[in-house]
Amino acid sequence: MQVCGITSFIVCMNLSSQLVQRYGSFKTIWAGSLLSFLGAILLTLYALSGGRQPWMVWLLFVPFNMGLGFRGPPAFYQALVATGGDDARGSAMLILLVLLCASLGTAAIAPWLDYGLVALGLASVGICLFSLVFLWINRGYREAEITNTSIDAG
């Protein structure tokens, strides 16, 4: 499961810059978020239908992680741009929020682990839905202008 998920994440992460060049950051982040949401819904539906085949779970992790790979790099970059030049503080806050989301999500789902894949699927749907709502609320933002800068080696 981890190999399939991480491989699909890495492949899509490397393709995300091409998507940003073609469609822009916001559309790439939006499409990746939708793909992750779709993967979470499919995983939840599979769990609710009583599915227990590991190979199917592996397959369902692929679209979820593909979406994360597509949206990750442009979202991280846009978060750094939003800091107004304080990249160290911005990246530290972003990593803190990622770890906070993961740890709070783990703590929130822990009491329901006896329900297995259903609990994981529902938690994933909830987190993905939150990200889509956040994107919808902020859909009017203007993408940061990317300018070429040179590093002075002096």
Side-chain angles (χ1 to χ4, degrees), residues 10 46 97:
I10 291 171
Y46 181 70
L97 291 173

Side-chain angles (χ1 to χ4, degrees), residues 36-53 56-57 60-61 63-64 115-126:
S36 288
F37 183 63
L38 175 66
I41 287 174
L42 292 173
L43 183 66
T44 304
L45 291 174
Y46 181 70
L48 289 171
S49 71
R52 299 279 183 258
Q53 297 299 320
M56 190 64 179
V57 176
L60 293 173
F61 261 61
F64 181 79
Y115 296 102
L117 197 53
V118 173
L120 172 68
L122 290 173
S124 298
V125 167

